[in-house]
Amino acid sequence: MVEPKAFFSRELLRWYHENRRDLPWRHGHNPYYTWVSEIMLQQTRVDTVIPYFERFISKFPTATDLADAPEEEVLKAWEGLGYYSRARNLQAAAREVKERYGGEVPDDLAAVSSLKGIGPYTAGAIMSIAFNRSEPAVDGNVMRVLSRYFRLHDDIAKPSTRVKIEKVAKELIPDGHASDFNQALMELGALTCTPKSPSCLLCPVMELCEGRIAGEELILPIKTKAKPPKPEVRYAALIEGTGRHEGQLLIRKRPDTGLLARMWELPHVLAAKQASKGSAAEEEAMDQVREMLFQEGIHAEPVEAYCDAEHTFSHIQWQMRVYRCKALSEATLPPGYAFIEREHMEEYAFPNLFLKLILQYFNEQTVGNS
């Protein structure tokens, strides 16, 4: 009788050697490359990450280069990937690597785990993929694959379930093959054992998959739903410059801490109340924009609604109405504000929502002037 664990490990490795994707961070066993790629891949698709990774490594080829770079450059290189605390933590950890380990990622689980922004999964991925250590690297893909194969009904949203699956995953790692095995496990979850439409007939371990045999491949894994993000109505000001700032837009820098810290944005305000419906709605919203601009010392007047936009974070959803505003004077700007033109956008790091809005505006101006 075939032993399920041995069968799984053997067949998975065979499949991986024949089907592995050619990804830039898989060239060699560079722990810094593994680290950067794993941080980028959190909450982000592989196809999206590839060009970001290549540009990032070109700009910051070593941990020391990343440690020494201005934060603004790092955030700019990350622009569009979202979850910007990942970039800040990555750079902070690179500085720790430079100071403590001479710029080389240490071949030590405890040392890697102590670095800022590195949790159990990322530590396991670095140790196994780059250093071939028999450490589990359990992410959502891995929990899904193993929950189905072993027909586990534990809620994967619970920390206790992750611990249980980490133990199972560690037992599956063949001696001397941790790097390929963990990548194979991730690959199977990404390409074949997908969340909604698993390709069971193409799976190398389908023969002994208990979830498939029981007809539960679409039920497993069990996961309690997270709370939906809280909606927030916000009003933003698209302020067009005047005089020497003609053709430019006013932006402001976010606070040093908190969500999207130290990035640049259009000035905006959380709605004090939901605007009423009908003809009075726009005026109520513009009154709130006027009050925000007055409080911040910006001499500008809302003119008309420009567009609507939204962006969903893990815990909140910004539902944003943008108002075109006209600067009333060339008064000195308060700290943290700047007028920009399109040619200078590379000097500032923007969250994706505001990057799209600002580019939309400049593109419309270019078309209008052509």
Side-chain angles (χ1 to χ4, degrees):
M1 182 177 178
V2 179
E3 203 284 314
K5 290 183 178 179
F7 172 82
F8 183 92
S9 301
R10 182 185 71 246
E11 294 303 312
L12 184 61
L13 275 177
R14 180 190 57 75
W15 172 84
Y16 179 67
H17 292 152
E18 295 174 358
N19 295 278
R20 61 180 288 171
R21 289 175 290 182
D22 181 20
L23 302 175
W25 47 87
R26 287 179 174 167
H27 298 167
H29 292 277
N30 186 318
Y32 173 64
Y33 287 11
T34 301
W35 177 18
V36 172
S37 68
E38 290 298 337
I39 298 299
M40 286 187 169
L41 286 164
Q42 294 170 10
Q43 310 291 330
T44 312
R45 295 172 57 86
V46 167
D47 290 346
T48 300
V49 165
I50 289 173
Y52 277 95
F53 174 84
E54 292 175 333
R55 287 193 297 267
F56 197 89
I57 292 299
S58 176
K59 197 169 186 65
F60 315 113
T62 69
T64 297
D65 293 313
L66 178 58
D68 292 341
E71 184 188 76
E72 194 81 18
E73 285 187 22
V74 176
L75 291 176
K76 191 66 182 178
W78 204 271
E79 185 180 73
L81 273 177
Y83 300 95
Y84 292 94
S85 60
R86 294 182 297 171
R88 292 191 181 88
N89 290 341
L90 180 61
Q91 185 177 37
R95 288 170 177 158
E96 294 177 52
V97 168
K98 177 187 174 184
E99 293 168 5
R100 297 184 196 172
Y101 309 109
E104 298 295 329
V105 179
D107 182 3
D108 181 85
L109 179 62
V112 168
S113 299
S114 73
L115 297 174
K116 191 172 181 62
I118 293 186
Y121 164 74
T122 306
I126 294 170
M127 297 310 299
S128 61
I129 295 172
F131 297 113
N132 204 30
R133 303 294 182 192
S134 293
E135 296 293 342
V138 175
D139 65 354
N141 282 331
V142 172
M143 286 195 284
R144 182 170 61 255
V145 169
L146 297 185
S147 291
R148 286 172 174 168
Y149 185 79
F150 292 105
R151 201 185 174 199
L152 305 176
H153 290 90
D154 306 80
D155 182 357
I156 65 170
K158 294 182 177 179
S160 59
T161 302
R162 174 181 289 275
V163 172
K164 178 179 179 178
I165 293 179
E166 283 176 348
K167 182 180 179 181
V168 173
K170 189 176 179 68
E171 293 172 351
L172 293 170
I173 300 173
D175 289 341
H177 297 282
S179 180
D180 279 356
F181 179 80
N182 277 356
Q183 291 181 88
L185 199 46
M186 299 171 196
E187 197 91 326
L188 187 69
L191 300 181
T192 304
C193 194
T194 52
K196 294 183 179 179
S197 301
S199 302
C200 292
L201 295 179
L202 300 177
C203 178
V205 297
M206 63 163 284
E207 184 180 339
L208 299 184
C209 176
E210 294 184 33
R212 182 196 66 82
I213 293 170
E216 295 181 352
E217 66 273 18
L218 298 181
I219 298 173
L220 297 170
I222 304 298
K223 184 179 181 180
T224 54
K225 291 186 178 181
K227 291 182 181 179
K230 177 184 176 182
E232 287 186 357
V233 176
R234 289 180 173 265
Y235 302 131
L238 189 94
I239 302 173
E240 302 168 305
T242 187
R244 63 191 174 93
H245 295 302
E246 190 77 33
Q248 299 180 7
L249 280 181
L250 187 66
I251 58 175
R252 74 177 179 191
K253 196 171 190 178
R254 291 185 63 82
D256 288 342
T257 58
L259 183 68
L260 306 174
R262 297 185 293 281
M263 300 192 77
W264 292 82
E265 64 182 3
L266 296 177
H268 60 99
V269 62
L270 176 64
K273 63 176 182 177
Q274 186 71 41
S276 61
K277 297 185 181 296
S279 58
E282 296 291 8
E283 193 56 43
E284 286 183 26
M286 286 197 287
D287 280 345
Q288 293 183 54
V289 174
R290 286 188 189 93
E291 179 64 20
M292 171 195 68
L293 297 177
F294 175 77
Q295 292 292 338
E296 299 203 10
I298 300 298
H299 301 275
E301 173 66 19
V303 176
E304 61 183 357
Y306 174 66
C307 71
D308 292 323
E310 69 176 41
H311 185 80
T312 302
F313 300 94
S314 58
H315 59 300
I316 55 173
Q317 181 189 54
W318 283 358
Q319 299 171 354
M320 189 166 290
R321 178 139 249 216
V322 184
Y323 290 90
R324 189 191 297 268
C325 304
K326 191 70 176 177
L328 299 179
S329 71
E330 294 188 64
T332 302
L333 295 174
Y337 277 85
F339 273 107
I340 60 161
E341 52 194 6
R342 180 169 189 153
E343 290 73 17
H344 293 158
M345 286 185 65
E346 285 301 313
E347 300 172 15
Y348 302 87
F350 297 96
N352 221 20
L353 170 64
F354 296 105
L355 178 66
K356 291 177 180 177
L357 288 170
I358 293 169
L359 285 175
Q360 175 183 322
Y361 171 80
F362 281 131
N363 287 339
E364 290 174 358
Q365 297 304 108
T366 300
V367 172
N369 293 331
S370 62

